[in-house]
Amino acid sequence: MKNLILTVLLFLSISGWAAEPLSGIAEVLALSPEMAARKLPVHLRATLLVDDRFRSTFFIHDGKTGCFALIPGPLIARDPKRGECYWFDGFTNAGDFRSILEITSFQHIGPGSEPEPLRLEGDAIFNTRADAQWLEIEGRVEGSSFREGGPSLDIGVQGWVIPAFLPVEKPASPALPWHLLGRKVRVRGIAAGTFNDERQMTRRFLFLPSLSHVVPLEEMPEAATGAAAATSLLTLGSEINSRIRVRGVVTHRIEGEAVYLRDASGTLRVLTAQPLPLEPGDEIEAEGYPSLELLRPALRAGELRKIKSGPAPEPVHFDPGRPLTTRLHHELIRTTAELLAIRDGSQGFILQCRSGPENFDATVDK
């Protein structure tokens, strides 16, 4: 009989009928999805570690563990501060992967403390138990771009590339940390991810509290003296981590993604989101690191400079019936073809064309 009474009392407590709310994040994370979906009351003390309100993303930590916190607009208007400690009230939610908190109110206590991170190496960052946890990892900055409207870094870790989102601290003109490209860094942040409807992780990324949580572990290397040929990247004897300078004429540009240039040796795709106004014919100089791609390496540019303006480059005649060569890759071309159809695509209008026996698509920017 005593065991039966204890079992009933335990069930009443877990099912949310008990008067005492959950007081620790570990208790929240231990709940099954079904139990967390019952909206159990929560009252706990925690520090706001990540405040990325531009992406509606908040993470809190109670000194032992962390979790995602859903903070509604009216509470965000009260302007909670990253790094500060609060009493948080709310209730549990099943989340997409593990239990989360829906915050209904908070009360400021004072300055919070940043906990010691979980130090991970290599593919340990993909451990599912690392989700929503405060961690530290080392890697190399492979790129810098805007994602979901805000700045981010691509951190290379033993062959994996992991996006690391930075909060939008200046919404009017968020800047990208170009100076970190190619450098080995130590990163502290929260492990997050995307998940399918069966609660399986499908992607890993990081949310960083600020750029100060990215610490360079080496000095910026100097680029080689003089400009290298566009087609010389990753030839025998060159290194993928060598900083390279190239110079050429712009043939095309995709805003926020890449610039295509041509020099005396051939063509090159320069990967950059730098907001530098460029037109075909402009002569530019780019510095960065080689990036492996199909057919021909690209350059991940950390610096891009316009040297002077010039006439628009002449396209190369292209015959789709002749064998393709690497030299034509990323080249500005002209060809004659029969237009078969036009359809709407995500990046522009797609022209379905035929030239002799060959069919091909051409995309026209909207």
Side-chain angles (χ1 to χ4, degrees):
M1 180 61 72
K2 288 184 179 179
N3 288 340
L4 177 59
I5 293 173
L6 288 175
T7 301
V8 172
L9 289 175
L10 179 61
F11 174 77
L12 292 178
S13 176
I14 295 178
S15 64
W17 295 348
E20 292 297 322
L22 301 179
S23 59
I25 293 177
E27 298 177 67
V28 176
L29 299 183
L31 297 173
S32 67
E34 296 76 17
M35 199 63 69
R38 295 186 180 188
K39 298 184 180 299
L40 307 184
V42 176
H43 174 72
L44 56 82
R45 175 178 176 147
T47 297
L48 181 60
L49 275 188
V50 170
D51 174 2
D52 193 347
R53 61 189 66 186
F54 188 78
R55 298 185 180 97
S56 301
T57 298
F58 301 87
F59 286 91
I60 63 175
H61 201 286
D62 64 3
K64 297 179 180 179
T65 189
C67 72
F68 177 83
L70 184 61
I71 302 180
L75 286 183
I76 296 175
R78 291 180 49 192
D79 199 23
K81 302 292 186 183
R82 181 186 67 80
E84 294 295 301
C85 186
Y86 298 89
W87 282 110
F88 288 102
D89 287 284
F91 51 86
T92 61
N93 182 304
D96 295 325
F97 185 63
R98 68 189 313 177
S99 304
I100 66 172
L101 287 180
E102 290 194 39
I103 305 301
T104 56
S105 67
F106 61 81
Q107 181 180 352
H108 185 239
I109 298 173
S113 58
E114 199 169 277
E116 277 297 307
L118 176 66
R119 291 176 174 82
L120 300 179
E121 295 183 4
D123 57 7
I125 193 172
F126 296 99
N127 189 322
T128 56
R129 293 188 181 276
D131 190 69
Q133 299 310 299
W134 178 244
L135 56 82
E136 178 182 279
I137 196 163
E138 293 184 5
R140 191 171 297 276
V141 178
E142 302 286 350
S144 183
S145 61
F146 289 102
R147 285 192 178 91
E148 299 180 16
S152 69
L153 296 171
D154 289 328
I155 309 297
V157 181
Q158 295 186 4
W160 300 94
V161 177
I162 302 168
F165 295 105
L166 291 158
V168 178
E169 298 178 350
K170 297 180 180 179
S173 57
L176 292 174
W178 307 107
H179 63 288
L180 293 173
L181 186 66
R183 301 171 75 177
K184 188 176 181 181
V185 294
R186 180 182 297 117
V187 175
R188 287 189 177 187
I190 294 286
T194 56
F195 315 98
N196 63 21
D197 58 2
E198 295 183 289
R199 304 180 73 83
Q200 295 173 299
M201 186 176 74
T202 58
R203 184 169 172 245
R204 171 65 81 219
F205 47 86
L206 300 173
F207 279 100
L208 311 185
S210 69
L211 188 58
S212 65
H213 288 77
V214 183
V215 179
L217 299 179
E218 60 187 15
E219 295 297 322
M220 172 73 78
E222 293 291 333
T225 304
T231 57
S232 69
L233 276 65
L234 295 184
T235 52
L236 185 63
S238 60
E239 300 292 336
I240 198 164
N241 291 323
S242 296
R243 189 173 174 86
I244 296 173
R245 179 185 296 121
V246 297
R247 186 167 181 163
V249 174
V250 174
T251 58
H252 183 60
R253 181 188 184 191
I254 301 177
E255 185 74 30
E257 181 179 326
V259 172
Y260 295 80
L261 64 78
R262 178 201 287 167
D263 70 2
S265 72
T267 58
L268 178 67
R269 185 161 86 119
V270 179
L271 305 174
T272 178
Q274 189 167 339
L276 182 67
L278 294 172
E279 297 292 337
D282 289 344
E283 186 174 348
I284 63 170
E285 194 170 70
E287 289 187 24
Y289 301 85
S291 175
L292 291 171
E293 291 194 350
L294 293 175
L295 296 184
R296 175 174 289 169
L299 182 77
R300 295 177 283 112
E303 293 186 37
L304 198 64
R305 295 180 292 275
K306 178 179 174 178
I307 307 301
K308 62 182 180 179
S309 299
E314 287 294 319
V316 173
H317 177 71
F318 173 63
D319 182 357
R322 298 185 63 180
L324 293 175
T325 66
T326 304
R327 186 172 181 81
L328 287 171
H329 192 50
H330 295 150
E331 181 61 278
L332 177 66
I333 65 163
R334 175 187 290 122
T335 191
T336 302
E338 177 187 1
L339 179 61
L340 302 177
I342 302 176
R343 68 180 191 272
D344 196 12
S346 59
Q347 296 182 335
F349 297 107
I350 299 175
L351 311 182
Q352 293 179 268
C353 304
R354 180 169 59 210
S355 180
E358 301 295 329
N359 291 345
F360 63 91
D361 289 347
T363 301
V364 180
D365 293 338
K366 293 182 178 179

Short mmCIF file of all heavy atoms in Angstrom, two decimals, residues 332-355:
data_model
loop_
_atom_site.label_atom_id
_atom_site.label_comp_id
_atom_site.label_asym_id
_atom_site.label_seq_id
_atom_site.Cartn_x
_atom_site.Cartn_y
_atom_site.Cartn_z
N LEU A 332 32.98 34.35 -69.10
CA LEU A 332 31.92 35.14 -69.72
C LEU A 332 31.85 34.75 -71.19
O LEU A 332 32.84 34.86 -71.92
CB LEU A 332 32.23 36.64 -69.59
CG LEU A 332 31.25 37.60 -70.25
CD1 LEU A 332 29.89 37.55 -69.57
CD2 LEU A 332 31.81 39.03 -70.23
N ILE A 333 30.68 34.26 -71.63
CA ILE A 333 30.57 33.70 -72.99
C ILE A 333 29.44 34.36 -73.77
O ILE A 333 28.57 35.03 -73.20
CB ILE A 333 30.34 32.18 -72.94
CG1 ILE A 333 28.98 31.87 -72.28
CG2 ILE A 333 31.49 31.46 -72.24
CD1 ILE A 333 28.47 30.48 -72.55
N ARG A 334 29.45 34.12 -75.08
CA ARG A 334 28.35 34.49 -75.97
C ARG A 334 28.05 33.27 -76.84
O ARG A 334 28.97 32.62 -77.35
CB ARG A 334 28.73 35.68 -76.85
CG ARG A 334 27.65 36.03 -77.88
CD ARG A 334 28.11 37.10 -78.86
NE ARG A 334 28.22 38.40 -78.22
CZ ARG A 334 29.32 39.11 -78.18
NH1 ARG A 334 30.44 38.65 -78.73
NH2 ARG A 334 29.34 40.30 -77.59
N THR A 335 26.78 32.97 -77.02
CA THR A 335 26.40 31.85 -77.87
C THR A 335 25.05 32.13 -78.51
O THR A 335 24.31 33.02 -78.07
CB THR A 335 26.34 30.54 -77.07
OG1 THR A 335 26.22 29.43 -77.96
CG2 THR A 335 25.17 30.53 -76.09
N THR A 336 24.73 31.39 -79.54
CA THR A 336 23.44 31.49 -80.23
C THR A 336 22.67 30.21 -79.98
O THR A 336 23.21 29.10 -80.09
CB THR A 336 23.64 31.68 -81.75
OG1 THR A 336 24.41 32.85 -81.98
CG2 THR A 336 22.30 31.83 -82.45
N ALA A 337 21.39 30.35 -79.60
CA ALA A 337 20.59 29.18 -79.27
C ALA A 337 19.12 29.44 -79.57
O ALA A 337 18.68 30.59 -79.72
CB ALA A 337 20.78 28.81 -77.80
N GLU A 338 18.37 28.36 -79.63
CA GLU A 338 16.92 28.43 -79.81
C GLU A 338 16.25 28.43 -78.44
O GLU A 338 16.57 27.58 -77.60
CB GLU A 338 16.44 27.23 -80.63
CG GLU A 338 14.92 27.16 -80.81
CD GLU A 338 14.47 25.87 -81.47
OE1 GLU A 338 15.34 25.03 -81.79
OE2 GLU A 338 13.25 25.72 -81.65
N LEU A 339 15.37 29.39 -78.20
CA LEU A 339 14.66 29.47 -76.92
C LEU A 339 13.47 28.53 -76.95
O LEU A 339 12.56 28.69 -77.77
CB LEU A 339 14.20 30.91 -76.66
CG LEU A 339 13.42 31.15 -75.37
CD1 LEU A 339 14.28 30.80 -74.15
CD2 LEU A 339 12.95 32.60 -75.29
N LEU A 340 13.46 27.56 -76.04
CA LEU A 340 12.38 26.55 -76.00
C LEU A 340 11.28 26.92 -75.02
O LEU A 340 10.10 26.71 -75.29
CB LEU A 340 12.97 25.19 -75.61
CG LEU A 340 14.09 24.65 -76.51
CD1 LEU A 340 14.61 23.33 -75.95
CD2 LEU A 340 13.60 24.48 -77.94
N ALA A 341 11.64 27.46 -73.86
CA ALA A 341 10.64 27.78 -72.83
C ALA A 341 11.25 28.71 -71.81
O ALA A 341 12.49 28.84 -71.71
CB ALA A 341 10.13 26.51 -72.16
N ILE A 342 10.38 29.36 -71.03
CA ILE A 342 10.80 30.22 -69.92
C ILE A 342 10.04 29.78 -68.68
O ILE A 342 8.82 29.61 -68.72
CB ILE A 342 10.51 31.70 -70.21
CG1 ILE A 342 11.22 32.15 -71.50
CG2 ILE A 342 10.96 32.58 -69.04
CD1 ILE A 342 10.89 33.57 -71.90
N ARG A 343 10.75 29.60 -67.59
CA ARG A 343 10.09 29.27 -66.33
C ARG A 343 10.67 30.13 -65.21
O ARG A 343 11.77 30.66 -65.34
CB ARG A 343 10.20 27.78 -66.00
CG ARG A 343 11.59 27.30 -65.66
CD ARG A 343 11.56 25.80 -65.33
NE ARG A 343 12.79 25.32 -64.76
CZ ARG A 343 13.84 24.90 -65.46
NH1 ARG A 343 13.78 24.89 -66.79
NH2 ARG A 343 14.92 24.48 -64.85
N ASP A 344 9.91 30.21 -64.13
CA ASP A 344 10.31 31.02 -62.99
C ASP A 344 11.12 30.18 -62.02
O ASP A 344 10.69 29.09 -61.62
CB ASP A 344 9.07 31.58 -62.30
CG ASP A 344 9.39 32.73 -61.36
OD1 ASP A 344 10.52 33.22 -61.44
OD2 ASP A 344 8.52 33.13 -60.58
N GLY A 345 12.30 30.66 -61.62
CA GLY A 345 13.14 29.96 -60.66
C GLY A 345 13.37 30.78 -59.42
O GLY A 345 13.01 31.96 -59.35
N SER A 346 14.01 30.18 -58.41
CA SER A 346 14.22 30.87 -57.14
C SER A 346 15.21 32.02 -57.27
O SER A 346 15.16 32.99 -56.52
CB SER A 346 14.72 29.88 -56.08
OG SER A 346 15.94 29.28 -56.50
N GLN A 347 16.15 31.94 -58.23
CA GLN A 347 17.16 32.97 -58.40
C GLN A 347 16.93 33.85 -59.62
O GLN A 347 17.69 34.78 -59.87
CB GLN A 347 18.55 32.33 -58.49
CG GLN A 347 18.96 31.60 -57.21
CD GLN A 347 20.35 31.02 -57.31
OE1 GLN A 347 20.84 30.74 -58.39
NE2 GLN A 347 20.99 30.83 -56.17
N GLY A 348 15.89 33.56 -60.40
CA GLY A 348 15.62 34.38 -61.58
C GLY A 348 14.80 33.60 -62.60
O GLY A 348 14.29 32.52 -62.31
N PHE A 349 14.69 34.17 -63.79
CA PHE A 349 13.98 33.49 -64.87
C PHE A 349 14.93 32.51 -65.55
O PHE A 349 16.07 32.84 -65.86
CB PHE A 349 13.46 34.50 -65.89
CG PHE A 349 12.46 35.46 -65.32
CD1 PHE A 349 12.80 36.78 -65.09
CD2 PHE A 349 11.17 35.04 -65.00
CE1 PHE A 349 11.88 37.67 -64.54
CE2 PHE A 349 10.25 35.92 -64.46
CZ PHE A 349 10.61 37.23 -64.24
N ILE A 350 14.45 31.29 -65.78
CA ILE A 350 15.27 30.25 -66.38
C ILE A 350 14.85 30.08 -67.83
O ILE A 350 13.68 29.78 -68.13
CB ILE A 350 15.12 28.93 -65.61
CG1 ILE A 350 15.59 29.12 -64.17
CG2 ILE A 350 15.93 27.82 -66.29
CD1 ILE A 350 15.38 27.90 -63.29
N LEU A 351 15.80 30.29 -68.73
CA LEU A 351 15.57 30.12 -70.16
C LEU A 351 16.03 28.72 -70.57
O LEU A 351 17.20 28.38 -70.40
CB LEU A 351 16.33 31.17 -70.96
CG LEU A 351 16.19 32.63 -70.52
CD1 LEU A 351 16.98 33.54 -71.45
CD2 LEU A 351 14.74 33.06 -70.46
N GLN A 352 15.10 27.93 -71.08
CA GLN A 352 15.46 26.60 -71.58
C GLN A 352 15.83 26.74 -73.05
O GLN A 352 15.02 27.18 -73.87
CB GLN A 352 14.30 25.64 -71.41
CG GLN A 352 13.97 25.34 -69.94
CD GLN A 352 12.79 24.40 -69.79
OE1 GLN A 352 11.65 24.82 -69.67
NE2 GLN A 352 13.08 23.11 -69.81
N CYS A 353 17.08 26.38 -73.37
CA CYS A 353 17.63 26.65 -74.69
C CYS A 353 18.15 25.37 -75.35
O CYS A 353 18.42 24.37 -74.69
CB CYS A 353 18.77 27.66 -74.59
SG CYS A 353 18.32 29.21 -73.78
N ARG A 354 18.31 25.50 -76.69
CA ARG A 354 18.91 24.39 -77.45
C ARG A 354 19.83 24.98 -78.51
O ARG A 354 19.47 25.93 -79.22
CB ARG A 354 17.85 23.52 -78.11
CG ARG A 354 18.44 22.34 -78.92
CD ARG A 354 17.39 21.34 -79.34
NE ARG A 354 16.36 21.98 -80.16
CZ ARG A 354 15.09 21.57 -80.20
NH1 ARG A 354 14.69 20.57 -79.41
NH2 ARG A 354 14.22 22.18 -80.97
N SER A 355 21.02 24.42 -78.59
CA SER A 355 21.97 24.80 -79.61
C SER A 355 22.51 23.53 -80.23
O SER A 355 23.25 22.78 -79.59
CB SER A 355 23.10 25.64 -79.03
OG SER A 355 24.02 26.01 -80.02
#
